[in-house]
Amino acid sequence: MQKNIIFIISLLLGMQSLAAREITFTDSATTTIERQLNEVEIAEKKSARSLSVFKALNINSIPAATTFSTAAVLQQIPSLSSDIEGNLRLRGSNKVTLLFEGVPITLFEENRSDLLIQMPVALFSSVLLFNMLPTASINEGEAGAVDFIFSPDFTDKSVLKATVAKGSNDRYNASVLAGSRIGKFRWQAGYDFRQEYRYRTYDKTTVDKTGTAKMNNTATAKPRTHIAMFNAQYLLTPSDFINFNALFQTMDYSRLGNINNTKTNTSGVVVANVLRQRNNTEKQTGNSEGLNWKHIWKEQKASFEASVNYDNFNYDQGNNFTNKNPKTGATLAQDRLFINQDKHQWFGSAKLTKMWENGLSSQLGYIGQWHKDNYSASDDDLISSAWVHNLAKSNDYELSKNLQTGFAELTYQSKQWKCLLGVQLQFDNRNGGKSVDANQTKEANSYLLPHIEINWQQSPFLSWTLRYQERVNRPLISDLNPFTDNSDATYIHQGNPSLENELAHVAELSNTCRVRNLTLNPVFFYRYRNHQIIDIATQQNGTTVWTKENASSAQDVGLEMNLTWKPFNFLTADASATGYHYEIDGTRQGYGIKGKYSVDAKGSVKVKLPLELEWEVYGYYTDRQLTVQGEIAALGSVGSALSYSCLKKHLDVALTIDNIFNSIEEKTTFNTMGTQQTIYRNRDARTLWLNVSYKI
């Protein structure tokens, strides 16, 4: 089989090229299946998945991985960034899909920004970034997808690794990873506990014709996250392979925040001043279990693969509010709000792969997704020393979604060319509304989504790839539920049940050039969206409420440049910069079309020092971003890590400091309906960690 050069750029923090995760059993009983997997499975992945994988991050190559939250690790992937709240952005878009072992689980939907900031990443073996999604997957996320991989890739018969870490401001992390291989069976399990520290400040100034309103908020929390993973692989017969994955996660914290609200008239006289205290508790739990079976017909050079996955996410929030007079401390009013969100999802797929003659291969398959969400909110007001239920502030909303996808793909490979032609036929429907409401909102759609990739290997050191794909972005329950969620006064939002799906056309032309110790990877990209889903802020009774609406269309075009340079064996420099022009169409909302040129950049320098020391400096810059009604200011951060390895690399010690200059404060401004608003957000993201890890 002709060797294929895969487009994975070795960039920040020791990223390594990923060809495919091969099964490496070594006993005689498994030699046959390994050879068959090499002939069928690996060829299949190279023809479908590897062309689509754009970048990969090997977690094991980061000595200080345990000290990083998931959001911090994702910052190490070129062109991918996260804002101060943990929201991801790729090439100017925040619509990035998160996957676990290739499956979109409910844990990665609402509240995922909190999860990314606080969830440890050390248990994952690698993180994959897809700009183009494989045909044999659900084509969602206009900016691609991030896939977290736990499946073991160790070749030793057993492994045991323990890690402890201490960070500034009562931050702690401890993890253990164990695994073994016995004949045809191997397993790997891991557990990690992490306590984070979050100190948040929020300042908002709103100016309108009646005067100026100021809101100041401070809150401190110490989220505790437990995460456990398990993977088991078994060679049932020489032609049948079974793989099982499981993930369990829980996170909880409590915080007391003070929100000071002051209103002055146009003459500067204070007309209202209320201190609103929020005693808040939150708990998230999630689990995912998946089973995969693969059968191989060696003589026919074909395989059949089937998988099923179930996952559940539950979110509980309790709020006790007290309004006080800041001068006297007297209590003015009290209320409480309890929120619960429960998600269930079944996911199944089946795929038939066949290797033909003359370099041809094909895939034919089906993907099904069944999703049910329930959101409930219960509000009580304290009236005359008794709690009275407030029906107007309570809510019970259900959403059920089904997605059926059939797909087909044909791949041709020769000495210099590789061409992939794929198509998906999707049918989706959703049904949302209150459980007691007979007039629920319903919507059904069908889509024919093409996928094209062409690779030309001009020489061993120069290659080109052209890609095109159409995708669908579907709203979540929080985007559709018309209930106004005011549990967080700094971000009050309301869903839009009439929201339509967003269609995205994505194309890119990339080149990879290797010259001695230098690798260059320029990528030209273009994105066009119909029914673009945008955030809109409105003023309701003097309160800013955010909701989602559909715009007409929008487009982005840009150039991304990735560079890896290794002038000496002890020195590696990585850099990535993305320059692009993007549009936001607010014509339907009365704001017209806005456009801007932006540049996002990041890079790192890694130096190997004597005595098994390794030192690294890394940083990123995110340019100013336009919104429909305003803009988000630029921000950047710089971090550093020093690691030491000894005892034949069994013992690793790392010292890291992130956000050295405390520079990721976020400033947002917008103008709407005669109102000008400026918002400053900040959190304690400057952290110092000491990490010790020992592997047996």
Side-chain angles (χ1 to χ4, degrees):
M1 181 178 298
Q2 186 67 36
K3 184 178 180 180
N4 179 52
I5 295 183
I6 304 168
F7 292 95
I8 304 171
I9 308 305
S10 299
L11 285 172
L12 303 174
L13 297 177
M15 286 184 288
Q16 299 177 350
S17 296
L18 180 70
R21 289 178 287 121
E22 301 187 22
I23 309 305
T24 55
F25 296 103
T26 58
D27 57 60
S28 58
T30 61
T31 302
T32 302
I33 190 67
E34 179 184 358
R35 183 168 59 251
Q36 293 172 4
L37 287 172
N38 286 336
E39 293 175 354
V40 179
E41 180 183 12
I42 302 306
E44 165 201 331
K45 287 186 176 182
K46 284 185 177 181
S47 67
R49 191 183 196 193
S50 297
L51 266 178
S52 301
V53 175
F54 183 59
K55 299 183 179 73
L57 179 64
N58 182 358
I59 302 299
N60 297 322
S61 70
I62 306 176
T66 304
T67 68
F68 287 121
S69 67
T70 304
V73 164
L74 294 179
Q75 287 285 7
Q76 316 307 317
I77 301 179
S79 72
L80 186 67
S81 61
S82 61
D83 62 20
I84 190 172
E85 297 292 336
N87 299 301
L88 296 179
R89 193 171 82 195
L90 178 64
R91 295 176 178 174
S93 173
N94 61 1
K95 294 166 185 175
V96 182
T97 300
L98 294 186
L99 308 172
F100 173 63
E101 293 286 350
V103 176
I105 62 176
T106 54
L107 179 67
F108 292 153
E109 293 184 347
E110 279 98 354
N111 304 297
R112 75 177 192 179
S113 58
D114 265 357
L115 177 71
L116 294 178
I117 291 175
Q118 291 143 193
M119 186 175 74
V121 78
L123 295 185
F124 296 106
S125 62
S126 60
V127 180
L128 309 182
L129 173 62
F130 293 85
N131 285 344
M132 296 291 167
L133 304 179
T135 307
S137 66
I138 293 180
N139 287 356
E140 287 190 329
E142 68 175 30
V146 173
D147 193 2
F148 295 97
I149 304 298
F150 175 68
S151 299
D153 53 9
F154 62 86
T155 57
D156 298 333
K157 289 186 177 180
S158 62
V159 63
L160 177 62
K161 183 178 180 180
T163 305
V164 292
K166 174 68 175 71
S168 55
N169 292 324
D170 291 329
R171 292 179 171 93
Y172 300 95
N173 202 105
S175 67
V176 60
L177 182 68
S180 68
R181 184 184 62 205
I182 305 172
K184 301 178 182 181
F185 176 78
R186 68 175 181 176
W187 63 274
Q188 180 168 292
Y191 166 77
D192 196 302
F193 166 76
R194 184 183 185 91
Q195 177 172 289
E196 262 291 347
Y197 174 81
R198 295 190 64 183
Y199 175 73
R200 177 191 183 193
T201 62
Y202 177 93
D203 295 282
K204 180 175 72 173
T205 301
T206 306
V207 180
D208 58 22
K209 62 182 180 180
T210 64
T212 301
K214 291 187 176 183
M215 174 186 289
N216 307 109
N217 170 240
T218 59
T220 302
K222 295 180 180 179
R224 295 167 297 275
T225 302
H226 301 263
I227 185 168
M229 297 186 207
F230 179 76
N231 174 267
Q233 301 177 359
Y234 184 65
L235 191 63
L236 187 63
T237 73
S239 300
D240 294 276
F241 181 74
I242 295 176
N243 185 76
F244 175 76
N245 273 304
L247 177 151
F248 306 92
Q249 184 269 348
T250 180
M251 180 179 69
D252 66 275
Y253 61 86
S254 60
R255 60 184 173 183
L256 178 63
N258 294 312
I259 305 172
N260 193 354
N261 297 280
T262 304
K263 179 63 181 290
T264 59
N265 60 24
T266 54
S267 301
V269 178
V270 176
V271 295
N273 186 202
V274 175
L275 180 68
R276 184 167 174 81
Q277 288 186 342
R278 180 194 185 197
N279 192 345
N280 166 244
T281 60
E282 295 189 19
K283 183 175 183 179
Q284 302 179 19
T285 58
N287 64 277
S288 173
E289 298 84 35
L291 183 65
N292 176 273
W293 165 59
K294 184 159 193 169
H295 179 78
I296 296 175
W297 294 276
K298 180 183 176 182
E299 298 298 329
Q300 292 78 17
K301 293 185 179 180
S303 67
F304 176 77
E305 186 173 358
S307 63
V308 62
N309 191 93
Y310 169 77
D311 69 271
N312 168 248
F313 174 77
N314 188 272
Y315 172 73
D316 272 308
Q317 182 186 127
N319 299 279
N320 286 281
F321 299 102
T322 303
N323 291 354
K324 293 184 176 182
N325 185 319
K327 294 182 179 180
T328 64
T331 298
L332 305 176
Q334 288 182 260
D335 59 290
R336 61 189 185 187
L337 175 65
F338 301 97
I339 294 174
N340 177 265
Q341 187 169 1
D342 194 35
K343 293 171 170 281
H344 298 268
Q345 177 182 267
W346 283 96
F347 183 94
S349 66
K351 178 176 65 175
L352 179 65
T353 301
K354 170 69 175 176
M355 303 290 294
W356 304 92
E357 301 296 332
N358 302 318
L360 288 174
S361 63
S362 61
Q363 287 187 2
L364 187 67
Y366 162 81
I367 301 173
Q369 187 178 22
W370 299 266
H371 202 291
K372 187 171 183 179
D373 293 0
N374 178 266
Y375 177 96
S376 61
S378 179
D379 183 88
D380 301 314
D381 298 327
L382 187 62
I383 301 176
S384 300
S385 301
W387 289 105
V388 179
H389 185 60
N390 189 330
L391 187 61
K393 293 183 179 181
S394 300
N395 177 256
D396 185 11
Y397 188 84
E398 291 183 351
L399 175 68
S400 60
K401 298 186 298 182
N402 297 320
L403 174 62
Q404 316 299 321
T405 301
F407 64 87
E409 180 183 277
L410 182 66
T411 302
Y412 168 74
Q413 181 176 336
S414 67
K415 184 176 181 180
Q416 288 185 298
W417 292 92
K418 192 163 191 176
C419 304
L420 183 154
L421 178 62
V423 65
Q424 285 194 355
L425 180 60
Q426 290 189 355
F427 298 93
D428 71 24
N429 65 79
R430 72 173 190 239
N431 188 351
K434 293 184 178 180
S435 57
V436 296
D437 187 1
N439 298 316
Q440 296 185 338
T441 59
K442 299 181 180 180
E443 183 172 333
N445 301 281
S446 61
Y447 303 98
L448 189 65
L449 308 176
H451 179 196
I452 301 171
E453 300 195 26
I454 301 174
N455 171 233
W456 176 37
Q457 189 67 51
Q458 186 175 352
S459 75
F461 308 102
L462 181 64
S463 56
W464 301 80
T465 300
L466 176 66
R467 302 179 176 98
Y468 165 75
Q469 191 173 54
E470 186 177 0
R471 305 184 196 138
V472 181
N473 290 314
R474 297 175 175 85
L476 302 175
I477 187 172
S478 58
D479 302 326
L480 299 169
N481 186 358
F483 173 69
T484 301
D485 183 350
N486 57 9
S487 59
D488 183 358
T490 64
Y491 180 67
I492 299 174
H493 63 276
Q494 180 181 19
N496 176 9
S498 300
L499 206 59
E500 300 178 55
N501 295 340
E502 174 183 301
L503 284 173
H505 300 264
V506 184
E508 65 177 43
L509 173 64
S510 66
N511 167 258
T512 298
C513 178
R514 297 177 177 88
V515 182
R516 294 184 180 179
N517 53 15
L518 180 66
T519 300
L520 293 174
N521 175 232
V523 183
F524 296 90
F525 63 89
Y526 176 77
R527 217 166 26 220
Y528 182 84
R529 297 175 293 272
N530 286 321
H531 309 299
Q532 182 186 17
I533 299 175
I534 57 176
D535 288 309
I536 292 292
T538 60
Q539 295 296 313
Q540 300 180 14
N541 300 321
T543 301
T544 303
V545 179
W546 294 88
T547 189
K548 303 282 187 180
E549 293 188 15
N550 288 111
S552 298
S553 62
Q555 58 185 346
D556 308 335
V557 61
L559 169 64
E560 177 179 300
M561 177 64 74
N562 300 299
L563 177 150
T564 298
W565 184 40
K566 192 172 184 178
F568 309 102
N569 290 333
F570 63 87
L571 178 64
T572 303
D574 302 303
S576 174
T578 306
Y580 55 97
H581 182 272
Y582 64 95
E583 289 183 354
I584 300 176
D585 188 350
T587 305
R588 291 183 182 179
Q589 293 75 28
Y591 295 97
I593 299 176
K594 300 166 65 175
K596 183 186 180 299
Y597 290 94
S598 288
V599 176
D600 297 339
K602 58 175 57 180
S604 73
V605 176
K606 182 186 294 184
V607 182
K608 292 184 178 180
L609 302 172
L611 303 176
E612 298 296 328
L613 288 170
E614 190 173 281
W615 178 56
E616 182 172 11
V617 177
Y618 54 90
Y620 69 91
Y621 170 80
T622 301
D623 207 349
R624 178 173 64 102
Q625 294 290 303
L626 295 180
T627 64
V628 175
Q629 299 159 296
E631 68 176 35
I632 302 172
L635 58 85
S637 178
V638 175
S640 182
L642 180 66
S643 60
Y644 171 66
S645 181
C646 63
L647 300 180
K648 297 181 180 181
K649 296 188 177 181
H650 285 280
L651 178 65
D652 292 312
V653 181
L655 181 67
T656 63
I657 179 169
D658 204 20
N659 192 31
I660 296 174
F661 303 107
N662 198 25
S663 55
I664 62 171
E665 180 180 76
E666 183 180 87
K667 177 184 177 183
T668 303
T669 58
F670 75 89
N671 299 276
T672 176
M673 300 172 61
T675 301
Q676 296 82 45
Q677 194 169 99
T678 303
I679 301 171
Y680 291 92
R681 300 176 187 266
N682 206 341
R683 64 180 176 87
D684 181 22
R686 180 165 54 189
T687 59
L688 178 67
W689 281 93
L690 176 63
N691 172 67
V692 180
S693 178
Y694 186 76
K695 178 180 179 181
I696 299 176

